[in-house]
RNA sequence: GGCGAGGUAGCUCAGUUGGUUAGAGCGCAGGAUUCAUAACCCUGAGGUGAUGGGUUCAAUUCCCAUCCUCGCUACCA
């Protein structure tokens, strides 16, 4: 969009069920903050909204587990996350929350409008119902055995072990987590957003209009979704935690969290407007508003497909761009909350910012490294060594050093004041540097507008590098040796020194402006050293060589960045590895965890012996095994049961290679009805036990016995 | 298996609407220097551009196949 009148920038709403890690920071919040700081410096009308996403079933479930309430959880994490962002210099105009009444009203109004316009579909369906708790069960309130990996505590929407997304119907032996009883199917009514009606619009808007200017990964994901066929998506849930469905016949129903969460951007904007005596409407309704969503790649479908359809139906503007980032790995492995392989914002703050360990300058160091390795086009890697190198050899050695040597020389050779620029003594080297400053500003501006933050940051550092090269060639400390009888540099020499330092100082002032979106604390510190007000940081000032007045006395230099020692990073790496939950530890801890789980996990309905006797279990020996074509998880086994050798297909390929299980003894259900899988008929089922880590184990006799032996 | 994104110097990553010697930063080696947080500055070494085919006067860039990584998806009684 050329020349938008105003900007609305959003960063994905963090789910308020725990602390957020630097992957989240690098993926959405930091790039959004950089972009917004740039826009504000350029005096654009911009609102930057974010806030806690506090609904969804995960939160009440977590509350039950921890013996607390959903409200207590969100009230705990909301302020911590908000403070973490502040400590790292992420400056939202508002950090709102979806539990706020204004959000509930906004989301309800949104739903009502779509519903009364006939843009939603109503469908009756059979859903699991807990008779004891007298309530329908949201997907996450149902647990059962995952049909995919066999994990016994899979949720109705997703198995946390294998990550597969599920529907409650797929669960084996579903159990209500509320009462522990087996739920019954009961008819219920829900509202759906018919995405399929909007396929033509989405194709046109995403692929045609934005196919070239959105990032390849974003367009690709969308295309994949659209080509896969869009389905109506349920907008409501049977749950009591969330935004109530504003209809008389919808008792006990709330809006599905994916529906209300993005509306949180709108309600946050409303609250901001109230707080600041502004009108929120133009930001969502005027065509000349540029809406930009910063998110991680996991959120692409919501922000590029679903929410735009909602916005369109509601008569709002559509996002101009959705610069989604890929993921950031940590020390060679993907970040994971469950395996505790992560660096939380809070951890970094505790170790580097809060301690007398650098203070806010260390916030900028993290911002620097995360931007330098931002996963803009592909997954990237956070390495502590890389963090140290980026700081020591770029921030300290190039940027910090240039500023420091400029200030030191200015105090030594120019009496602590901004020296004059003697036009008559200028040479082409001087003008080249002056040009370079203007060019840097142009390049950085373009890159920022294109959301290429890592390249933009590189250009800023490069300008500092140019400064170092310039000073090296000018060698004012050598020139200063041309002294007269009074021991001071002769006039011509002093002019050269003045020119060099004048230019270096103006360049430093430019660096402050250009680095400001990326490293706000550093920019502030530079302003302090130069005794200028924040107004100098306005973007239009960049490129100018008249930012500091001749004769103005400046403060003594302070070091902008400190070195990071080897010991600090080895400590962090050790800490990470020690905290990580290794496979072994998981297996050992499992005993405790499992006991707890089993305590919660209800025993299935009682059966009589005859029921059990119906099941014919035998010991078998795997005589051969091979991978099933076109299936990642299936192995085709030949099992010797004594009386015959059978073909059994089993979903264990992710856990065992064909070679390692050949010859193993297993327990087989031999009278299970045959079933075809991937075109192969499976005659029986191999019994497996699963530990808390999701690993499967064979159930077999202690010592090898005859194939075909009965089990009872 | 299908779809999407990737596989480029020791490391982290650019780039190429197909065209002379494929780039940057860091790291490494050598040199120069001392104003500066042993920093800066200069020079250099380092790449079968995943692999194998094809199209073309010419491919890293286009096409096909294969292998590997990440995400989504399918198979799981």
């Amino acid at each position: 969009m050329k020349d938008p009148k105003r900007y609305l920038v959003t960063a994905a709403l963090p789910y308020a069920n725990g602390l957020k890690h630097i992957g989240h920071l690098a993926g959405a919040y930091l790039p959004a903050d950089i972009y917004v700081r740039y826009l504000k410096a350029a005096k654009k009308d911009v609102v930057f909204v974010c806030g806690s996403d506090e609904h969804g079933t995960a939160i009440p479930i977590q509350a039950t587990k921890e013996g607390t309430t959903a409200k207590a959880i969100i009230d705990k994490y909301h302020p911590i996350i908000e403070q973490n962002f502040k400590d790292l210099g992420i400056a939202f105009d508002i950090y709102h929350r979806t539990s706020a009444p204004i959000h509930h009203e906004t989301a309800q109004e949104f739903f009502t409008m779509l519903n009364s316009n006939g843009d939603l579909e109503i469908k009756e369906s059979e859903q699991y119902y807990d008779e004891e708790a007298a309530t329908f069960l949201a997907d996450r309130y149902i647990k059962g055995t995952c049909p995919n990996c066999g994990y016994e505590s899979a949720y109705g929407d997703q198995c946390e072990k294998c990550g597969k997304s599920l529907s409650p119907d797929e669960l084996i032996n579903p159990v209500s987590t509320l009462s522990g009883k087996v739920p019954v199917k009961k008819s219920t009514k829900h509202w759906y957003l018919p995405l399929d009606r909007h396929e033509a619009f989405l194709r046109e808007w995403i692929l045609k209009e934005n196919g070239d200017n959105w990032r390849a990964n974003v367009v690709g994901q969308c295309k994949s979704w659209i080509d896969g066929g869009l389905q109506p998506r349920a907008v409501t849930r049977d749950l009591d935690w969330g935004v109530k469905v504003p209809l008389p016949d919808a008792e006990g129903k709330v809006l599905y969290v994916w529906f209300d969460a993005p509306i949180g951007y709108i309600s946050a904007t409303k609250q901001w407007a109230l707080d600041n005596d502004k009108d929120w409407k133009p930001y969502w309704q005027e065509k000349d508003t540029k809406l930009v969503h910063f998110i991680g790649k996991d959120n692409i479908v919501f922000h590029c497909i679903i929410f735009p359809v909602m916005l369109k139906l509601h008569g709002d503007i559509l996002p101009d761009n959705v610069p989604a980032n890929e993921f950031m790995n940590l020390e060679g492995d993907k970040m994971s909350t469950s395996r505790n392989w992560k660096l939380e914002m809070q951890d970094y703050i505790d170790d580097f910012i809060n301690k007398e360990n650098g203070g806010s300058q260390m916030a900028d160091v993290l911002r620097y490294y995360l931007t330098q390795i931002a996963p803009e086009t592909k997954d990237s890697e956070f390495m502590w060594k890389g963090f140290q190198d980026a700081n020591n050899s770029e921030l300290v050695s190039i940027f910090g050093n240039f500023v420091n040597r400029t200030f030191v020389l200015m105090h030594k050779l120019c009496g602590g004041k901004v020296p004059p620029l003697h036009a008559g003594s200028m040479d082409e080297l001087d003008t080249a540097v002056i040009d370079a400053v203007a060019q840097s500003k142009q390049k950085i501006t373009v890159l920022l507008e294109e959301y290429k933050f890592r390249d933009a940051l590189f250009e800023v550092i490069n300008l500092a590098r140019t400064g170092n090269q310039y000073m090296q060639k000018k060698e004012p400390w050598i020139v200063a040796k041309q002294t007269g009888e009074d021991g001071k540099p002769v006039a011509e020499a002093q002019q050269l020194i003045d020119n060099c330092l004048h230019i270096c100082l103006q360049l430093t002032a430019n660096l402050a402006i250009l680095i400001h979106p990326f490293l706000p604390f550093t920019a502030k510190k530079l302003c302090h050293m130069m005794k200028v007000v924040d107004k100098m940081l306005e973007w239009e000032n960049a490129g100018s060589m008249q930012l500091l007045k001749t004769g103005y006395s400046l403060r003594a230099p302070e070091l902008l960045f400190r070195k990071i020692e080897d010991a600090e990073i080895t400590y962090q790496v050790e800490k990470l590895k020690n905290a990580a939950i290794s496979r072994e530890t998981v297996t050992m801890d499992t005993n405790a965890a499992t006991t707890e789980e089993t305590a919660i996990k209800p025993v299935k309905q009682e059966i009589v012996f005859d029921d059990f006797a119906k099941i014919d279990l035998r010991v078998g020996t795997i005589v051969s095994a091979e991978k099933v074509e076109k299936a990642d998880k299936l192995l085709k086994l030949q099992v010797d049961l004594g009386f015959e050798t059978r073909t059994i297909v089993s979903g264990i390929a992710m856990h065992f290679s064909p070679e390692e299980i050949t010859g193993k003894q297993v327990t087989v259900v031999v009278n299970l009805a045959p079933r075809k899988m991937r075109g192969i008929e499976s005659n029986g089922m191999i019994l497996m036990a699963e530990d808390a880590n999701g690993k499967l184990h064979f159930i077999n006799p202690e010592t090898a016995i005859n194939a075909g032996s009965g089990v009872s």
Side-chain angles (χ1 to χ4, degrees), chain A residues 525-583:
Chain A
K525 201 162 175 182
L526 281 166
C527 286
H528 174 77
M529 283 163 61
M530 297 184 293
K531 291 207 291 191
V532 295
V533 293
D534 289 354
K535 192 167 163 40
M536 193 207 76
L537 296 175
E538 288 173 1
W539 202 253
E540 64 182 10
N541 291 331
S544 163
M545 294 304 275
Q546 281 149 29
L547 298 173
L548 301 174
K549 240 175 119 182
T550 298
Y552 198 55
S553 67
L554 306 184
R555 290 201 165 88
E558 300 168 43
L559 296 180
L560 292 176
F561 306 101
R562 69 168 181 84
K563 284 218 153 195
I564 293 173
E565 305 300 332
D566 290 349
E568 293 180 78
I569 62 159
T570 50
Y571 168 78
Q572 289 296 334
V573 173
E574 283 305 307
K575 185 173 159 183
L576 174 70
K577 289 184 177 160
N578 291 337
I581 299 164
S582 66
R583 287 170 203 292

Side-chain angles (χ1 to χ4, degrees), chain A residues 14 19 62 86 147 253 414 419 467 532 572 647:
Chain A
L19 297 174
Q62 188 174 336
K86 266 191 195 140
K253 295 182 196 298
C414 304
V532 295
Q572 289 296 334
T647 300

Side-chain angles (χ1 to χ4, degrees), chain A residues 612 615-620 641 643 666-668 670 701 705-712:
Chain A
F612 169 73
I615 303 170
D616 193 343
L617 298 172
R618 307 286 181 100
V619 172
L641 294 167
F643 59 96
V666 292
T667 308
V668 182
V670 295
I705 58 173
N706 287 340
S709 304
V711 176
S712 57

Side-chain angles (χ1 to χ4, degrees), chain A residues 67 88 143 145 155 207 252 289 351 398 409 431 471 489 497 525 530 562 675 692:
Chain A
L88 292 166
K143 271 192 175 183
T145 303
Y155 291 110
L207 306 179
T289 297
D351 285 356
I398 296 175
L409 281 172
T431 49
M471 190 179 278
I497 293 167
K525 201 162 175 182
M530 297 184 293
R562 69 168 181 84
R675 173 161 170 131

Side-chain angles (χ1 to χ4, degrees), chain A residues 15-16 64 250 295 307 520 522 555 597 607 611 657 660:
Chain A
Y15 200 53
T64 312
I295 55 170
F307 192 44
T522 300
R555 290 201 165 88
E597 283 289 311
I607 60 170
D611 290 330
S657 67
E660 70 179 304

Side-chain angles (χ1 to χ4, degrees), chain A residues 269-282:
Chain A
T269 312
K270 284 186 178 176
Q271 187 60 50
W272 166 84
L274 284 173
D275 297 344
N276 293 278
D277 200 23
K278 294 272 175 59
D279 184 10
W280 67 274
K281 282 186 181 151

Side-chain angles (χ1 to χ4, degrees), chain A residues 193 195 202 205 221-222 225 233-234 256-262 265 293 295-311 319 322:
Chain A
L193 180 65
L195 292 173
L202 290 168
W205 177 61
Q221 277 276 326
C222 293
W225 266 80
R233 220 182 146 97
Y256 214 147
V257 64
W258 65 259
F259 186 86
D260 95 74
Y265 298 140
H293 295 305
I295 55 170
K297 69 172 162 185
D298 50 332
N299 251 326
I300 289 175
V301 60
F302 290 106
H303 290 78
C304 298
I305 307 247
I306 301 174
F307 192 44
V309 166
M310 291 164 59
L311 289 171
V322 184

